[in-house]
Amino acid sequence: MPAVTVFTLLAFASALIAQTPVQGVPSGQSLRVARAVISQSEDGPAAENGLGFQPGDLAFFSFLVENYKTGPTGKVQLTGHIDVFDPKGTPIVPRDEEVIGTTLSQEDKAWKPKLRSQIQIPSIGPPGNYRIKYEVTDQQAHQTAAGELAFPVSGKGVEPAPALTIRNLGFYRTQDDETALKIVAYRAGDILWVRFDATGYKYGEQNSIDVAYDVAVLAPDGKQLFSQEDAAVEKSQAFYPQPWVPGAFNLSLQSTMRAGTYTLVITARDGVGKQTAESKAEFRVE
């Protein structure tokens, strides 16, 4: 009989331990976010401010949640939201929603939930400080905590324009040259490389764009030697409004071209905004 009594008491004590609730939010403490980190790999070290990111990179963001409430049975119910903006305040990706719904045991009372998000930086976007605004709501405590984190993105920028405009028109010796020629001179038979940017076009539904350009070459006497309509066409739509369209092409100069100053004419067309812009630049054949 004593053995049975001991066994019964032990079983009863075990049942009490199993039903002991996990501690909730400490009295007087509010929900808070902590240790926000942006890195170049999932759960990796924080990216150094001096390095930054490049257009087209994938960034990994995370933050911890503290002082959340647990229910009588250890239930945790959190909802987080993450928004990312370019230097001008334009969202670059749709709002990300992360939900944590779980049940903790007494052994997990020190656990801190981590919310994660992957951020695709636009392949064509302005350089500068991008901002992450994040928040989490404790659905049981009805509390919300928020934070903000900035991170630098390098790369080239193109000055915006109120109307369709061709910018940064330059001649290059080879396809891979980064600096435009200061003295634009070629020999007959050379390959001439050109790069430029079109901006100031209008957007359609879902940030759609319709940009094309024509190319022509004028002889020293003004006579047209070459022309090509729709040398390139950019039709696309995306969540993030592409701020400019890069253009690039090459021309093979005929070996019989006479020495002199020729004129390159680029005509850009905006199909959405019904705009046209023209840019001219001279080059010499020696």
PDB file of all heavy atoms in Angstrom, residues 164-182:
ATOM      1  N   LEU A 164      11.347  62.483 -71.539  1.00  0.00           N
ATOM      2  CA  LEU A 164      12.270  61.521 -72.133  1.00  0.00           C
ATOM      3  C   LEU A 164      13.587  62.209 -72.505  1.00  0.00           C
ATOM      4  O   LEU A 164      13.602  63.238 -73.194  1.00  0.00           O
ATOM      5  CB  LEU A 164      11.642  60.886 -73.372  1.00  0.00           C
ATOM      6  CG  LEU A 164      12.466  59.794 -74.053  1.00  0.00           C
ATOM      7  CD1 LEU A 164      12.650  58.597 -73.125  1.00  0.00           C
ATOM      8  CD2 LEU A 164      11.787  59.352 -75.355  1.00  0.00           C
ATOM      9  N   THR A 165      14.697  61.647 -72.033  1.00  0.00           N
ATOM     10  CA  THR A 165      16.011  62.261 -72.208  1.00  0.00           C
ATOM     11  C   THR A 165      17.067  61.175 -72.398  1.00  0.00           C
ATOM     12  O   THR A 165      16.991  60.115 -71.787  1.00  0.00           O
ATOM     13  CB  THR A 165      16.396  63.110 -70.977  1.00  0.00           C
ATOM     14  OG1 THR A 165      15.385  64.092 -70.752  1.00  0.00           O
ATOM     15  CG2 THR A 165      17.734  63.797 -71.178  1.00  0.00           C
ATOM     16  N   ILE A 166      18.042  61.451 -73.256  1.00  0.00           N
ATOM     17  CA  ILE A 166      19.187  60.565 -73.433  1.00  0.00           C
ATOM     18  C   ILE A 166      20.357  61.164 -72.666  1.00  0.00           C
ATOM     19  O   ILE A 166      20.727  62.322 -72.876  1.00  0.00           O
ATOM     20  CB  ILE A 166      19.540  60.408 -74.917  1.00  0.00           C
ATOM     21  CG1 ILE A 166      18.397  59.701 -75.656  1.00  0.00           C
ATOM     22  CG2 ILE A 166      20.842  59.614 -75.081  1.00  0.00           C
ATOM     23  CD1 ILE A 166      18.592  59.622 -77.153  1.00  0.00           C
ATOM     24  N   ARG A 167      20.936  60.371 -71.763  1.00  0.00           N
ATOM     25  CA  ARG A 167      22.054  60.844 -70.951  1.00  0.00           C
ATOM     26  C   ARG A 167      23.264  59.922 -71.126  1.00  0.00           C
ATOM     27  O   ARG A 167      23.128  58.774 -71.537  1.00  0.00           O
ATOM     28  CB  ARG A 167      21.672  60.890 -69.472  1.00  0.00           C
ATOM     29  CG  ARG A 167      20.533  61.856 -69.128  1.00  0.00           C
ATOM     30  CD  ARG A 167      20.545  62.156 -67.641  1.00  0.00           C
ATOM     31  NE  ARG A 167      19.400  62.915 -67.182  1.00  0.00           N
ATOM     32  CZ  ARG A 167      19.264  64.227 -67.314  1.00  0.00           C
ATOM     33  NH1 ARG A 167      20.191  64.920 -67.942  1.00  0.00           N
ATOM     34  NH2 ARG A 167      18.187  64.847 -66.845  1.00  0.00           N
ATOM     35  N   ASN A 168      24.427  60.462 -70.779  1.00  0.00           N
ATOM     36  CA  ASN A 168      25.674  59.678 -70.695  1.00  0.00           C
ATOM     37  C   ASN A 168      26.065  59.020 -72.014  1.00  0.00           C
ATOM     38  O   ASN A 168      26.616  57.914 -72.027  1.00  0.00           O
ATOM     39  CB  ASN A 168      25.565  58.604 -69.598  1.00  0.00           C
ATOM     40  CG  ASN A 168      25.152  59.183 -68.249  1.00  0.00           C
ATOM     41  OD1 ASN A 168      25.654  60.227 -67.845  1.00  0.00           O
ATOM     42  ND2 ASN A 168      24.245  58.505 -67.564  1.00  0.00           N
ATOM     43  N   LEU A 169      25.777  59.681 -73.119  1.00  0.00           N
ATOM     44  CA  LEU A 169      26.178  59.147 -74.425  1.00  0.00           C
ATOM     45  C   LEU A 169      27.696  59.203 -74.541  1.00  0.00           C
ATOM     46  O   LEU A 169      28.311  60.264 -74.390  1.00  0.00           O
ATOM     47  CB  LEU A 169      25.522  59.956 -75.546  1.00  0.00           C
ATOM     48  CG  LEU A 169      25.940  59.615 -76.986  1.00  0.00           C
ATOM     49  CD1 LEU A 169      25.668  58.148 -77.294  1.00  0.00           C
ATOM     50  CD2 LEU A 169      25.205  60.518 -77.969  1.00  0.00           C
ATOM     51  N   GLY A 170      28.309  58.050 -74.781  1.00  0.00           N
ATOM     52  CA  GLY A 170      29.755  58.003 -74.868  1.00  0.00           C
ATOM     53  C   GLY A 170      30.228  56.974 -75.883  1.00  0.00           C
ATOM     54  O   GLY A 170      29.545  55.978 -76.154  1.00  0.00           O
ATOM     55  N   PHE A 171      31.413  57.221 -76.438  1.00  0.00           N
ATOM     56  CA  PHE A 171      32.053  56.303 -77.372  1.00  0.00           C
ATOM     57  C   PHE A 171      33.154  55.536 -76.640  1.00  0.00           C
ATOM     58  O   PHE A 171      33.851  56.095 -75.789  1.00  0.00           O
ATOM     59  CB  PHE A 171      32.670  57.062 -78.549  1.00  0.00           C
ATOM     60  CG  PHE A 171      31.675  57.757 -79.432  1.00  0.00           C
ATOM     61  CD1 PHE A 171      31.233  59.041 -79.122  1.00  0.00           C
ATOM     62  CD2 PHE A 171      31.179  57.126 -80.553  1.00  0.00           C
ATOM     63  CE1 PHE A 171      30.310  59.697 -79.932  1.00  0.00           C
ATOM     64  CE2 PHE A 171      30.259  57.763 -81.380  1.00  0.00           C
ATOM     65  CZ  PHE A 171      29.819  59.056 -81.062  1.00  0.00           C
ATOM     66  N   TYR A 172      33.340  54.275 -77.036  1.00  0.00           N
ATOM     67  CA  TYR A 172      34.311  53.413 -76.356  1.00  0.00           C
ATOM     68  C   TYR A 172      35.140  52.672 -77.391  1.00  0.00           C
ATOM     69  O   TYR A 172      34.682  52.401 -78.511  1.00  0.00           O
ATOM     70  CB  TYR A 172      33.599  52.431 -75.432  1.00  0.00           C
ATOM     71  CG  TYR A 172      32.810  53.115 -74.330  1.00  0.00           C
ATOM     72  CD1 TYR A 172      31.531  53.613 -74.579  1.00  0.00           C
ATOM     73  CD2 TYR A 172      33.351  53.293 -73.064  1.00  0.00           C
ATOM     74  CE1 TYR A 172      30.814  54.268 -73.585  1.00  0.00           C
ATOM     75  CE2 TYR A 172      32.638  53.937 -72.060  1.00  0.00           C
ATOM     76  CZ  TYR A 172      31.372  54.419 -72.333  1.00  0.00           C
ATOM     77  OH  TYR A 172      30.656  55.076 -71.343  1.00  0.00           O
ATOM     78  N   ARG A 173      36.356  52.320 -76.982  1.00  0.00           N
ATOM     79  CA  ARG A 173      37.253  51.598 -77.880  1.00  0.00           C
ATOM     80  C   ARG A 173      36.861  50.125 -77.970  1.00  0.00           C
ATOM     81  O   ARG A 173      36.905  49.517 -79.046  1.00  0.00           O
ATOM     82  CB  ARG A 173      38.695  51.725 -77.381  1.00  0.00           C
ATOM     83  CG  ARG A 173      39.738  51.136 -78.300  1.00  0.00           C
ATOM     84  CD  ARG A 173      39.910  51.942 -79.565  1.00  0.00           C
ATOM     85  NE  ARG A 173      40.301  53.335 -79.287  1.00  0.00           N
ATOM     86  CZ  ARG A 173      40.337  54.288 -80.198  1.00  0.00           C
ATOM     87  NH1 ARG A 173      39.985  54.021 -81.451  1.00  0.00           N
ATOM     88  NH2 ARG A 173      40.708  55.519 -79.883  1.00  0.00           N
ATOM     89  N   THR A 174      36.497  49.539 -76.819  1.00  0.00           N
ATOM     90  CA  THR A 174      36.090  48.131 -76.790  1.00  0.00           C
ATOM     91  C   THR A 174      34.814  47.987 -75.974  1.00  0.00           C
ATOM     92  O   THR A 174      34.394  48.912 -75.270  1.00  0.00           O
ATOM     93  CB  THR A 174      37.180  47.236 -76.160  1.00  0.00           C
ATOM     94  OG1 THR A 174      37.268  47.519 -74.755  1.00  0.00           O
ATOM     95  CG2 THR A 174      38.528  47.476 -76.807  1.00  0.00           C
ATOM     96  N   GLN A 175      34.227  46.825 -76.026  1.00  0.00           N
ATOM     97  CA  GLN A 175      32.982  46.554 -75.316  1.00  0.00           C
ATOM     98  C   GLN A 175      33.153  46.634 -73.803  1.00  0.00           C
ATOM     99  O   GLN A 175      32.224  47.015 -73.084  1.00  0.00           O
ATOM    100  CB  GLN A 175      32.465  45.166 -75.699  1.00  0.00           C
ATOM    101  CG  GLN A 175      31.139  44.791 -75.064  1.00  0.00           C
ATOM    102  CD  GLN A 175      30.674  43.416 -75.504  1.00  0.00           C
ATOM    103  OE1 GLN A 175      31.426  42.652 -76.110  1.00  0.00           O
ATOM    104  NE2 GLN A 175      29.425  43.103 -75.211  1.00  0.00           N
ATOM    105  N   ASP A 176      34.340  46.303 -73.309  1.00  0.00           N
ATOM    106  CA  ASP A 176      34.559  46.214 -71.865  1.00  0.00           C
ATOM    107  C   ASP A 176      35.139  47.481 -71.247  1.00  0.00           C
ATOM    108  O   ASP A 176      35.316  47.538 -70.025  1.00  0.00           O
ATOM    109  CB  ASP A 176      35.481  45.031 -71.555  1.00  0.00           C
ATOM    110  CG  ASP A 176      34.874  43.705 -71.993  1.00  0.00           C
ATOM    111  OD1 ASP A 176      33.643  43.565 -71.901  1.00  0.00           O
ATOM    112  OD2 ASP A 176      35.639  42.825 -72.440  1.00  0.00           O
ATOM    113  N   ASP A 177      35.435  48.476 -72.051  1.00  0.00           N
ATOM    114  CA  ASP A 177      35.980  49.720 -71.500  1.00  0.00           C
ATOM    115  C   ASP A 177      34.975  50.361 -70.555  1.00  0.00           C
ATOM    116  O   ASP A 177      33.775  50.416 -70.853  1.00  0.00           O
ATOM    117  CB  ASP A 177      36.330  50.704 -72.625  1.00  0.00           C
ATOM    118  CG  ASP A 177      37.596  50.318 -73.363  1.00  0.00           C
ATOM    119  OD1 ASP A 177      38.264  49.372 -72.907  1.00  0.00           O
ATOM    120  OD2 ASP A 177      37.908  50.953 -74.378  1.00  0.00           O
ATOM    121  N   GLU A 178      35.470  50.881 -69.437  1.00  0.00           N
ATOM    122  CA  GLU A 178      34.596  51.540 -68.467  1.00  0.00           C
ATOM    123  C   GLU A 178      34.566  53.052 -68.642  1.00  0.00           C
ATOM    124  O   GLU A 178      33.610  53.705 -68.233  1.00  0.00           O
ATOM    125  CB  GLU A 178      35.050  51.195 -67.044  1.00  0.00           C
ATOM    126  CG  GLU A 178      34.930  49.709 -66.712  1.00  0.00           C
ATOM    127  CD  GLU A 178      35.317  49.410 -65.278  1.00  0.00           C
ATOM    128  OE1 GLU A 178      35.701  50.362 -64.555  1.00  0.00           O
ATOM    129  OE2 GLU A 178      35.237  48.237 -64.870  1.00  0.00           O
ATOM    130  N   THR A 179      35.613  53.614 -69.233  1.00  0.00           N
ATOM    131  CA  THR A 179      35.702  55.063 -69.404  1.00  0.00           C
ATOM    132  C   THR A 179      35.541  55.430 -70.869  1.00  0.00           C
ATOM    133  O   THR A 179      36.199  54.855 -71.744  1.00  0.00           O
ATOM    134  CB  THR A 179      37.055  55.581 -68.882  1.00  0.00           C
ATOM    135  OG1 THR A 179      37.211  55.181 -67.509  1.00  0.00           O
ATOM    136  CG2 THR A 179      37.117  57.089 -68.971  1.00  0.00           C
ATOM    137  N   ALA A 180      34.661  56.395 -71.118  1.00  0.00           N
ATOM    138  CA  ALA A 180      34.429  56.838 -72.488  1.00  0.00           C
ATOM    139  C   ALA A 180      35.662  57.556 -73.039  1.00  0.00           C
ATOM    140  O   ALA A 180      36.455  58.129 -72.285  1.00  0.00           O
ATOM    141  CB  ALA A 180      33.217  57.762 -72.541  1.00  0.00           C
ATOM    142  N   LEU A 181      35.817  57.521 -74.357  1.00  0.00           N
ATOM    143  CA  LEU A 181      36.943  58.182 -75.010  1.00  0.00           C
ATOM    144  C   LEU A 181      36.852  59.701 -74.856  1.00  0.00           C
ATOM    145  O   LEU A 181      35.778  60.288 -75.043  1.00  0.00           O
ATOM    146  CB  LEU A 181      36.967  57.833 -76.493  1.00  0.00           C
ATOM    147  CG  LEU A 181      37.245  56.358 -76.848  1.00  0.00           C
ATOM    148  CD1 LEU A 181      37.049  56.145 -78.339  1.00  0.00           C
ATOM    149  CD2 LEU A 181      38.660  55.972 -76.437  1.00  0.00           C
ATOM    150  N   LYS A 182      37.956  60.331 -74.500  1.00  0.00           N
ATOM    151  CA  LYS A 182      37.999  61.794 -74.445  1.00  0.00           C
ATOM    152  C   LYS A 182      38.208  62.378 -75.839  1.00  0.00           C
ATOM    153  O   LYS A 182      37.634  63.410 -76.183  1.00  0.00           O
ATOM    154  CB  LYS A 182      39.113  62.237 -73.501  1.00  0.00           C
ATOM    155  CG  LYS A 182      38.858  61.863 -72.042  1.00  0.00           C
ATOM    156  CD  LYS A 182      39.973  62.371 -71.141  1.00  0.00           C
ATOM    157  CE  LYS A 182      39.693  62.018 -69.689  1.00  0.00           C
ATOM    158  NZ  LYS A 182      40.777  62.501 -68.781  1.00  0.00           N
TER     159      LYS A 182
END
